[in-house]
């Protein structure tokens, strides 16, 4: 009878003992780049990770270790003697991985970084209980979280980027970022490079064509080529200039200079628009650096 | 008496001396070096002095939780830092740059715009290398933009793609911009022959006011349609230039190109410096970023010069371009154009390349903004 009782009780005992094992703990979520999520006890946005007790019993994780180095499993230990290290059934706790373990029980002496894998190690310092790999590409304020799809919520096989949900059920799954997609489709970056270079050249080439076109228009090259430049306005202006110059006694050079200045002004090839002044240049195509060849005359 | 000692002991814990580490000392030393270079050597003093002092501010050892640090929500420094963090300082700087820059050199010689495109290879070369170094694509894009030699663009893009690397990227970009004469000159001399350095280019034509007014409008519509993600930078750059050239908004242009850009430059320098706290800055990644930044500048300069040399093979003798202006394709305005002038005059004292070099130089500003827009579109 006693044997029968023991046999019947054994699975329950095992289940109870097993449920209170450290092996029921998982690293359920991690946030490597925290700029707007949880604030720690010191008012800082520190990287954090969440551990979750999957069992129906209480688990005390005091003395357990966390590490991001598989060759050094005892890198950062959770101190003993703090009652807050007891996790009730289906409860979770947040550990700040900011590199400064002196700040308290729930602070680790290494910083959680993208691309690293973080391990939860039993208090024997040898047995790895659980691990979570943080992707190299993950946006800021997006966590990497474990999700369970079994009815009892015991097996957490699915790992996705997610909206941070510290101390609560893991949030909704995040969409893949562009950078993540690029890393999968173009890990070495050649496609993006070739496309980007082509776009840069294309954009500036279009600008080149447009400005070349506008330059030709403004300098009158099109008009000169088509030889249709005989507008009545310009002829009238030229006649008016000639009449005006004929009334005054002046040298040929002065007349030529004034005529040239007026021509440039009327054909909109002068550099500046300054009321009260006409810029007179002896050679508009080469005088930009030769100040001795330029002078101004007040009108 | 015991109470006094306790109070003094408690006060001691709040002081910088009690919280000081070698990393703090190292960063303060870096800040002092920046200030020294800015004041004594006059290398980009308007950038290096605020950044240097900001580095010192950000690395004064202090007890956390006082809500005064740059990363502590609601602190004064944190509030000022939002302009960097949210990326609205760089477009304001671009507004000022647009209001100060005369694009005549580019408008008169639009073909030189392509040099500005070639020099952007530095960005993408650094992107490829950063990926090979193990950086994620978004981080690699933010690092690559250092090759554009454009501080505001680097800050804008890194704030969007890799905020945790922004301090190192910004400091790296500004440091190398200050070192443009040192980095570019030997590359230019190495890649050009004496004969090439003597090439004289035809003088640029005079540009009318109408062309100058049309330039920012056409430029903006064209580039923004191709790369809408570059809108904040391109929009502000061309808008600032329109204010300048329209002739009817002189007060606005003076403000954008004067007091506004001065205020924003001061704040951006100070807060970027303050963001380089020792624990975030003194990492292996920062060293890699500095190495990649240097390589990107070298690639950009090399590609600019080689592009001109190759282009010259197809040009008539009277249309040939002096390859010494190839370096100016990066957007370090006007420092890289000055390098072209200086090196050109060493070969021929009567050959002035400054105005020619300004064309690819300002094209580089547009090119780097376009490149930033592309990277943001792909990786953002």
């Amino acid at each position: 009878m006693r044997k029968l009782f023991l046999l019947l009780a054994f699975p329950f005992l095992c289940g109870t003992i097993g449920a209170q094992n450290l092996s029921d703990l998982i690293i359920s979520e991690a946030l490597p780049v925290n700029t707007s999520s949880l604030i720690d006890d010191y008012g800082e946005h520190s990287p954090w990770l969440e551990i979750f007790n999957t069992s129906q019993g209480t688990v005390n994780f005091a003395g357990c270790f966390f590490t991001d180095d598989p060759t050094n499993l005892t890198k950062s230990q959770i101190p003993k003697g703090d009652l807050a290290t007891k996790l009730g059934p289906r409860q979770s706790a947040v550990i700040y991985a900011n590199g400064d373990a002196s700040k308290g029980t729930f602070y680790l002496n290494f910083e959680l970084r993208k691309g690293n894998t973080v391990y939860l190690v039993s208090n024997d310092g040898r047995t790895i209980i659980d691990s979570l790999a943080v992707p190299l590409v993950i946006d800021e304020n997006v966590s990497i979280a474990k999700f369970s799809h079994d009815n009892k919520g015991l097996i957490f096989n699915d790992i996705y980027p997610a909206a941070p949900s510290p101390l609560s059920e893991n949030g909704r799954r995040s969409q893949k970022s562009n950078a993540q997609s690029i890393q999968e489709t173009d890990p070495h970056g050649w496609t993006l490079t070739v496309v980007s270079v082509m776009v840069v050249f294309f954009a500036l080439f279009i600008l080149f064509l447009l400005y070349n076109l506008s330059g030709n228009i403004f300098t009158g090259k099109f008009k000169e080529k088509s030889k249709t430049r005989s507008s009545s306005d310009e002829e009238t202006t030229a006649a008016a200039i000639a009449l005006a110059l004929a009334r005054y006694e002046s040298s040929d050079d002065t007349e030529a200079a004034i005529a040239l200045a007026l021509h440039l002004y009327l054909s909109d090839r002068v550099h500046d628009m300054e009321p009260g002044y006409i810029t007179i240049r002896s050679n508009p195509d080469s005088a930009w650096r030769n100040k001795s060849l330029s002078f101004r005359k007040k009108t | 008496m015991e109470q006094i000692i306790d109070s003094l002991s408690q006060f001691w814990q709040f002081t910088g001396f009690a919280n000081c580490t070698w990393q703090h000392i190292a960063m303060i030393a870096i800040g002092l070096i920046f200030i020294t270079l800015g004041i004594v050597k006059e290398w980009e003093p308007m950038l290096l002095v605020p950044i240097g002092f900001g580095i010192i501010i950000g690395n004064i050892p202090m007890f956390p939780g006082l809500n005064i640090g740059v990363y502590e929500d609601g602190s004064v420094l944190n509030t000022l830092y939002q302009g960097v963090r949210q990326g609205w300082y760089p477009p304001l700087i671009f507004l000022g740059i647009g209001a100060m820059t005369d694009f005549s050199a580019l408008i008169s010689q639009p073909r030189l715009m392509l040099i500005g495109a070639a020099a952007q290879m530095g960005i993408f070369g650094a992107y490829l290398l950063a990926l090979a170094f193990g950086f994620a694509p978004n981080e690699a894009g933010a690092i690559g933009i250092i090759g554009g030699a454009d501080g505001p663009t680097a800050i804008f893009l890194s704030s969007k793609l890799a905020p945790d690397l922004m301090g190192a990227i910004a400091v790296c970009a500004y440091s190398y911009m200050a070192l443009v004469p040192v980095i570019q000159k030997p590359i230019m001399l190495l890649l050009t022959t004496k004969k090439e350095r003597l090439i004289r280019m035809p003088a640029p034509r005079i540009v009318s006011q109408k062309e100058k007014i049309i330039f920012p409008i056409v430029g903006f519509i064209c580039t923004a349609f191709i790369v809408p993600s570059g809108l904040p930078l391109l929009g502000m750059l061309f808008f600032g230039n329109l204010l300048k050239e329209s002739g009817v908004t002189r007060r606005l242009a003076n403000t954008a190109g004067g007091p506004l850009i001065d205020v924003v430059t001061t704040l951006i320098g100070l807060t970027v410096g303050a963001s380089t706290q020792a624990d975030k800055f003194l990492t292996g990644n920062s060293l890699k970023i500095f190495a990649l930044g240097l390589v990107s500048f070298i690639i950009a300069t090399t590609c600019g010069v080689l592009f001109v040399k190759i282009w010259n093979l197809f040009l008539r003798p009277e249309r040939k371009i002096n390859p010494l202006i190839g370096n100016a394709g990066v957007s370090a305005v006007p420092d890289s154009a000055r390098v072209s002038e200086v090196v050109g005059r060493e070969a021929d004292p009567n050959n002035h390349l400054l105005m020619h070099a300004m064309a690819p130089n300002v094209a580089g500003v547009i090119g780097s903004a376009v490149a930033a827009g592309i990277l943001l579109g792909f990786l953002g």
Side-chain angles (χ1 to χ4, degrees):
Chain A
M1 186 65 186
R2 183 183 289 174
K3 284 181 182 174
L4 183 64
F5 174 76
L6 284 173
L7 277 172
L8 288 171
F10 183 73
F12 292 99
L13 286 171
C14 286
T16 309
I17 292 166
Q20 294 179 4
N21 272 345
L22 289 170
S23 59
D24 292 319
L25 295 177
I26 61 165
I27 302 174
S28 54
E29 193 175 0
L31 180 70
V33 184
N34 175 10
T35 59
S36 65
S37 174
L38 203 60
I39 296 173
D40 66 15
D41 304 323
Y42 297 86
E44 293 179 349
H45 291 294
S46 300
W48 54 262
L49 51 91
E50 179 194 66
I51 56 171
F52 178 63
N53 176 9
T54 61
S55 76
Q56 297 296 332
T58 300
V59 178
N60 188 346
F61 63 95
C64 288
F65 299 88
F66 285 90
T67 182
D68 60 351
D69 180 2
T71 63
N72 178 15
L73 294 180
T74 58
K75 192 169 184 178
S76 186
Q77 187 176 27
I78 299 295
K80 295 173 182 172
D82 189 336
L83 292 176
T85 56
K86 284 185 180 175
L87 273 185
R90 312 293 290 179
Q91 280 189 349
S92 50
V94 167
I95 316 283
Y96 295 102
N98 63 352
D100 188 359
S102 66
K103 286 184 170 177
T105 304
F106 297 100
Y107 292 83
L108 303 181
N109 66 3
F110 62 89
E111 195 171 334
L112 185 64
R113 292 180 190 279
K114 290 187 276 188
N116 286 5
T117 300
V118 62
Y119 301 89
L120 170 60
V121 182
S122 177
N123 50 17
D124 63 8
R126 293 190 302 275
T127 313
I128 294 175
I129 299 170
D130 193 33
S131 64
L132 179 62
V134 180
L136 184 62
V137 181
I138 189 165
D139 291 340
E140 64 175 44
N141 302 313
V142 172
S143 66
I144 183 77
K146 289 180 179 171
F147 294 88
S148 167
H149 290 301
D150 62 310
N151 292 334
K152 295 180 180 176
L154 295 175
I155 302 166
F156 291 77
N157 281 339
D158 297 330
I159 303 174
Y160 302 116
S165 55
L167 299 174
S168 59
E169 189 179 348
N170 282 347
R172 68 184 189 284
R173 181 178 168 178
S174 283
Q175 297 290 322
K176 263 186 196 172
S177 67
N178 287 344
Q180 286 169 313
S181 303
I182 288 282
Q183 189 170 45
E184 287 173 11
T185 56
D186 182 25
H188 302 295
W190 288 105
T191 308
L192 186 144
T193 299
V194 171
V195 171
S196 301
V197 169
M198 285 168 63
V199 173
V200 170
F201 266 96
F202 176 71
L204 293 182
F205 186 70
I206 293 290
L207 280 183
F208 155 66
L209 290 180
L210 288 173
Y211 294 132
N212 207 30
L213 179 70
S214 70
N216 286 340
I217 292 170
F218 279 100
T219 54
K221 281 186 182 173
F222 282 158
K223 289 179 183 174
E224 285 167 14
K225 281 178 185 173
S226 59
K227 294 183 180 176
T228 57
R229 190 189 175 98
S230 58
S231 72
S232 59
D233 284 353
E234 287 196 4
E235 284 177 2
T236 309
T237 307
I241 292 169
L243 283 171
L245 291 174
R247 289 186 184 182
Y248 299 98
E249 286 184 9
S250 57
S251 68
D252 291 344
D253 288 347
T254 310
E255 289 176 5
I258 294 171
L260 177 64
L262 287 169
H263 166 71
L264 290 174
Y265 180 74
L266 291 170
S267 60
D268 201 19
R269 291 174 67 185
V270 287
H271 188 277
D272 297 316
M273 295 277 284
E274 295 172 285
Y277 289 87
I278 293 177
T279 306
I280 302 174
R281 299 175 193 280
S282 61
N283 180 359
D285 288 336
S286 65
W288 62 275
R289 66 183 176 201
N290 195 347
K291 290 181 179 172
S292 64
L293 295 177
S294 308
F295 65 95
R296 285 178 167 177
K297 182 178 179 182
K298 191 166 186 180
T299 55
Chain B
M1 187 62 187
E2 195 176 326
Q3 195 175 356
I4 292 173
I5 292 171
D6 282 348
S7 298
L8 284 174
S9 173
Q10 195 176 354
F11 174 74
W12 171 255
Q13 294 303 317
F14 280 97
T15 64
F17 300 105
N19 295 292
C20 191
T21 62
W22 70 266
Q23 287 97 333
H24 291 115
I25 302 295
M27 288 305 296
I28 289 171
I30 291 172
L32 290 173
I33 290 170
F34 272 51
I35 293 172
T36 307
L37 290 176
I39 295 173
V40 178
K41 294 279 185 182
E42 293 190 22
W43 287 352
E44 298 274 357
M46 286 193 286
L47 298 171
L48 290 190
V49 172
I51 290 177
F53 203 80
I55 291 174
I56 297 175
I57 288 177
N59 287 282
I60 296 297
M62 60 184 177
F63 191 80
L66 299 175
N67 205 30
I68 53 173
V70 74
Y71 291 112
E72 292 181 282
D73 284 345
S75 70
V76 174
L77 280 176
N78 183 266
T79 304
L80 295 176
Y81 184 55
Q82 291 309 307
V84 176
R85 185 71 191 78
Q86 304 295 333
W88 47 266
Y89 283 158
L92 288 177
I93 289 186
F94 262 60
L95 177 70
I97 292 172
M100 289 193 298
T101 307
D102 185 351
F103 285 91
S104 308
L106 183 62
I107 300 169
S108 63
Q109 307 177 90
R111 64 181 181 143
L112 300 183
M113 200 174 279
L114 297 178
I115 301 172
Q120 306 312 315
M121 285 297 292
I123 294 174
F124 301 106
Y127 170 75
L128 291 173
L129 286 172
L131 283 178
F133 270 53
F135 285 99
N138 53 326
E139 295 172 334
I143 293 167
I145 203 69
I146 297 171
D150 193 334
T153 308
I155 290 172
F156 176 78
L157 193 66
S158 56
S159 72
K160 304 287 181 195
L161 294 183
D164 44 335
L165 300 181
M166 187 175 56
I169 289 171
V171 171
C172 177
Y174 280 122
S175 304
Y176 288 135
M177 281 166 65
L179 293 172
V180 154
V182 181
I183 297 170
Q184 290 196 321
K185 186 179 172 183
I187 300 169
M188 293 158 68
L189 293 175
L190 188 71
L191 294 176
T192 53
T193 62
K194 175 77 177 170
K195 188 182 171 189
E196 286 172 328
R197 280 177 234 146
L198 294 173
I199 292 176
R200 290 202 172 205
M201 296 170 63
R205 69 177 173 83
I206 293 163
V207 176
S208 74
Q209 194 71 14
K210 281 181 189 167
E211 281 182 273
K212 288 182 173 184
I213 294 171
I214 289 170
F215 170 79
I217 298 170
V218 171
F220 172 65
I221 293 173
C222 176
T223 52
F225 265 76
I226 295 170
V227 194
S229 44
L231 201 62
L233 297 176
L234 293 166
M236 290 301 221
L237 177 74
F238 287 118
F239 173 55
N241 191 243
L242 182 63
L243 291 180
K244 174 180 183 287
E245 301 299 352
S246 67
V248 293
T249 53
R250 193 156 294 169
R251 279 173 49 202
L252 299 184
N254 288 343
T255 304
L260 180 65
I261 197 170
D262 289 347
V263 168
V264 179
T265 303
T266 307
L267 292 177
I268 204 171
L270 195 73
T271 50
V272 161
S275 70
T276 60
Q277 291 184 351
D279 55 337
K280 297 182 186 296
F281 191 79
L282 289 179
T283 62
N285 276 350
S286 297
L287 287 177
K288 287 182 192 172
I289 289 168
F290 269 78
L292 288 166
L294 178 61
V295 173
S296 69
F297 266 63
I298 292 170
I299 295 173
T301 308
T302 305
C303 288
V305 175
L306 289 181
F307 179 78
V308 176
K309 282 169 70 89
I310 294 168
W311 195 3
N312 273 342
L313 299 175
F314 305 98
L315 293 175
R316 295 194 304 271
E318 70 275 13
R319 297 266 294 164
K320 285 198 188 299
I321 302 166
N322 193 317
L324 289 180
I325 69 168
N327 71 299
V330 297
S331 61
V333 180
D335 294 16
S336 49
R338 276 197 210 123
V339 176
S340 303
E341 167 78 5
V342 169
V343 181
R345 289 185 69 181
E346 282 176 9
D348 177 0
N350 294 318
N351 193 6
H352 297 271
L353 294 173
L354 183 64
M355 283 302 288
H356 299 293
M358 279 304 289
N361 212 181
V362 293
V365 178
I366 301 170
S368 65
V370 169
I374 296 167
L375 289 171
L376 189 61
F378 276 117
L379 303 169

